[in-house]
Amino acid sequence: QVQLVESGGGLVQAGGSLRLSCAASGSIFSINTMNWYRQAPGKQRELVALITSGGSTHYADSVKGRFTISRDNAKNTVYLQMNSLKPEDTAVYYCYAEARSGSSRPWYYYWGQGTQVTVSS
């Protein structure tokens, strides 16, 4: 089993910045992709950004140029630096990871519990 614990959410004014962290722990041999999703009230969960084990990244168009995803493989941790925040970025942000407990074990996916980000206008 793998646990994902997010931190760093909060209330910020428009134009401000926040940095989210997500630490993975448990029976981890390797982690493939680590992603950030978000879900605003009444909306579907959407992909915000992802980063592969090799460091390749992908961003939703709505956050390109404002958000930066990074990871520390030694710490099994992924970060999301969010700058120039807008009220429409308000949502619960979820961490997601694909991990396995051994080289011959299957890959499983895991979700964090979510952290609230609120951007006031």
Side-chain angles (χ1 to χ4, degrees), residues 25-100:
S25 62
S27 300
I28 299 172
F29 174 77
S30 60
I31 300 177
N32 189 12
T33 182
M34 300 186 81
N35 306 355
W36 287 99
Y37 287 80
R38 68 186 180 187
Q39 187 166 19
K43 294 188 176 182
Q44 289 188 330
R45 190 172 296 189
E46 63 174 355
L47 176 66
V48 175
L50 68 83
I51 184 166
T52 68
S53 57
S56 297
T57 59
H58 169 82
Y59 297 92
D61 287 343
S62 59
V63 306
K64 281 181 182 177
R66 300 188 297 123
F67 291 10
T68 301
I69 190 170
S70 60
R71 66 191 280 175
D72 184 332
N73 290 329
K75 296 181 178 179
N76 291 329
T77 299
V78 63
Y79 307 96
L80 187 67
Q81 178 66 43
M82 305 185 294
N83 299 328
S84 303
L85 283 161
K86 305 175 181 179
E88 51 264 43
D89 294 318
T90 296
V92 177
Y93 284 70
Y94 296 92
C95 177
Y96 165 101
E98 294 176 357
R100 56 180 176 174

